[in-house]
Amino acid sequence: MSELDKRLSLPVERTSASVRSALPLRAASLKRSRLKENALAYAFLAPSLLLFAVFLFYPLVKSVYLSLHSTDPAGRIAGFTGFDNYSDLFTSGLFVSGIKTTALFALLTVPAGILLALILAVLTHNMLRGKRLFQFAFSLPMVISVGSASVIWKFLFHPTLGMLNYLLEQAGMAPVGWLIDPHWALLSISIMTVWMNLGFNYILLSSGMQGIPDEIYESARIDGAGPLRVFYRITMPLLSPTLFFVLVVSTIGAFQSFGQINILTQGGPMNSTSVFVYSIYQESFINFRFGTGSAQAILLFLVIMLLTLIQFKWVERKVHYQ
């Protein structure tokens, strides 16, 4: 190698050596910055994690613990029972009857609530005048609490003074025992629940329809597609993610319904409206059997989780994400 080559290669060797020595420093600096970012992120998440730990994780662990023990009326642990609380639920038929009533309640409320909200969203989507007024009116049930809505409907369902029986009598029909007849009680609460959830479902579906580009509808009309064909071929596929979300949330809400049943019927008449959540309440806070009530709560959690997994496994296949 000539003297000129040595002079030319010397800076390159020094530069590569300096780069190699700087790599560990740069890696350590990146690691420190990453740790600082993670620490800052956990610091911001700490209040939410604390709330989840206090109001979600701790009650869940406590429920599992109580479900394996028997308790006295004060809620203190009396003894370890293992899985006897679970076996008693199945042998007594309490679990089966509660799940049947809850499943029937969900079948009466979830499809009807989604279908009615979808019809209202479609009817008001292309309105030019009065659209905001109708959207405001249809969304009103969402701002009313369960207690207030239950009291309102309790007056409407009154057998002698209620508005519904008054309208039936004016139409020449016999009055109905809405909340006192075992054949009508669950249906009556389902009607009230559909009305109560209408605002939430309507807002979601209406927002989903507004997110569909108008150019797609214009192209379909130019190609000669009618309203029904546009609805089934364009609106429904593009709205399917919103429909799937509403279905999952409505199903979970139906299995967790309690307030309207507690106010309107207290599980009666003849246990025709004793859904699973009300059975948990009755077993825990009326009969003071916290072990059995906790076992029911764990089983309800497992049922809801199983239904949600089934929906994500089978129903989500029909969803068309853009």
Side-chain angles (χ1 to χ4, degrees), residues 124-155:
T124 58
H125 178 63
N126 293 322
M127 290 182 61
L128 298 179
R129 300 181 61 182
K131 180 178 180 178
R132 298 298 181 185
L133 178 61
F134 280 97
Q135 289 178 341
F136 173 75
F138 295 148
S139 304
L140 274 179
M142 188 180 67
V143 302
I144 301 177
S145 65
V146 178
S148 301
S150 300
V151 171
I152 293 172
W153 281 87
K154 192 169 187 177
F155 282 105

Side-chain angles (χ1 to χ4, degrees), residues 18 24 60 104 140 165 176-177 193 196 227 242 271 276 299 319-320:
S18 61
L60 180 60
L104 180 58
L140 274 179
N165 279 341
V176 175
T193 304
M196 187 176 62
T242 307
N271 292 327
F276 209 73
L299 290 176
V319 177
H320 298 273

Side-chain angles (χ1 to χ4, degrees), residues 19-319:
V19 169
R20 284 194 302 269
S21 62
L23 285 177
L25 298 177
R26 181 173 179 82
S29 177
L30 290 175
K31 187 176 181 180
R32 285 195 300 269
S33 62
R34 191 177 296 111
L35 290 175
K36 290 181 180 179
E37 290 178 358
N38 293 335
L40 183 62
Y42 282 113
F44 282 115
L45 290 174
S48 299
L49 293 176
L50 179 63
L51 291 176
F52 273 103
V54 173
F55 296 104
L56 182 63
F57 301 128
Y58 173 74
L60 180 60
V61 175
K62 188 68 174 180
S63 296
V64 175
Y65 177 75
L66 288 175
S67 67
L68 301 176
H69 296 78
S70 60
T71 58
D72 59 12
R76 294 185 294 266
I77 301 298
F80 178 77
T81 60
F83 293 97
D84 291 344
N85 290 328
Y86 295 93
S87 60
D88 292 342
L89 290 176
F90 289 101
T91 55
S92 64
L94 188 62
F95 173 77
V96 177
S97 62
I99 285 296
K100 284 183 178 179
T101 306
T102 307
L104 180 58
F105 177 75
L107 290 175
L108 290 173
T109 56
V110 175
I114 295 176
L115 180 61
L116 184 59
L118 179 61
I119 292 174
L120 294 177
V122 171
L123 292 177
T124 58
H125 178 63
N126 293 322
M127 290 182 61
L128 298 179
R129 300 181 61 182
K131 180 178 180 178
R132 298 298 181 185
L133 178 61
F134 280 97
Q135 289 178 341
F136 173 75
F138 295 148
S139 304
L140 274 179
M142 188 180 67
V143 302
I144 301 177
S145 65
V146 178
S148 301
S150 300
V151 171
I152 293 172
W153 281 87
K154 192 169 187 177
F155 282 105
L156 294 176
F157 285 137
H158 196 279
T160 56
L161 304 177
M163 180 62 67
L164 296 179
N165 279 341
Y166 173 77
L167 295 176
L168 291 177
E169 291 176 356
Q170 294 298 316
M173 302 172 64
V176 175
W178 298 101
L179 299 177
I180 59 178
D181 189 345
H183 301 288
W184 284 94
L186 189 63
L187 179 61
S188 303
I189 295 179
S190 301
I191 294 173
M192 177 258 175
T193 304
V194 170
W195 174 83
M196 187 176 62
N197 296 333
L198 180 62
F200 177 76
N201 295 341
Y202 170 77
I203 288 177
L204 290 178
L205 294 177
S206 180
S207 301
M209 293 191 65
Q210 292 177 4
I212 301 176
D214 294 333
E215 292 80 6
I216 300 178
Y217 289 114
E218 294 176 359
S219 300
R221 295 189 188 98
I222 293 173
D223 293 337
L228 293 178
R229 190 175 182 84
V230 169
F231 177 75
Y232 285 108
R233 296 293 184 179
I234 296 178
T235 304
M236 288 297 292
L238 296 180
L239 195 61
S240 58
T242 307
L243 285 170
F244 177 70
F245 174 78
V246 173
L247 174 64
V248 173
V249 173
S250 300
T251 303
I252 295 175
F255 273 80
Q256 294 178 339
S257 296
F258 169 76
Q260 62 269 41
I261 296 170
N262 184 40
I263 294 175
L264 293 177
T265 61
Q266 291 81 42
M270 298 175 60
N271 292 327
S272 59
T273 60
S274 183
V275 296
F276 209 73
V277 176
Y278 187 80
S279 179
I280 295 173
Y281 164 77
Q282 190 174 28
E283 194 71 12
S284 300
F285 301 103
I286 296 179
N287 300 331
F288 297 105
R289 298 177 59 185
F290 296 100
T292 308
S294 299
Q296 286 181 291
I298 297 301
L299 290 176
L300 178 62
F301 167 74
L302 294 177
V303 169
I304 293 176
M305 183 177 66
L306 180 61
L307 286 176
T308 305
L309 292 176
I310 290 175
Q311 288 174 328
F312 273 93
K313 179 68 175 180
W314 303 104
V315 181
E316 196 180 18
R317 293 182 178 180
K318 305 295 183 181
V319 177

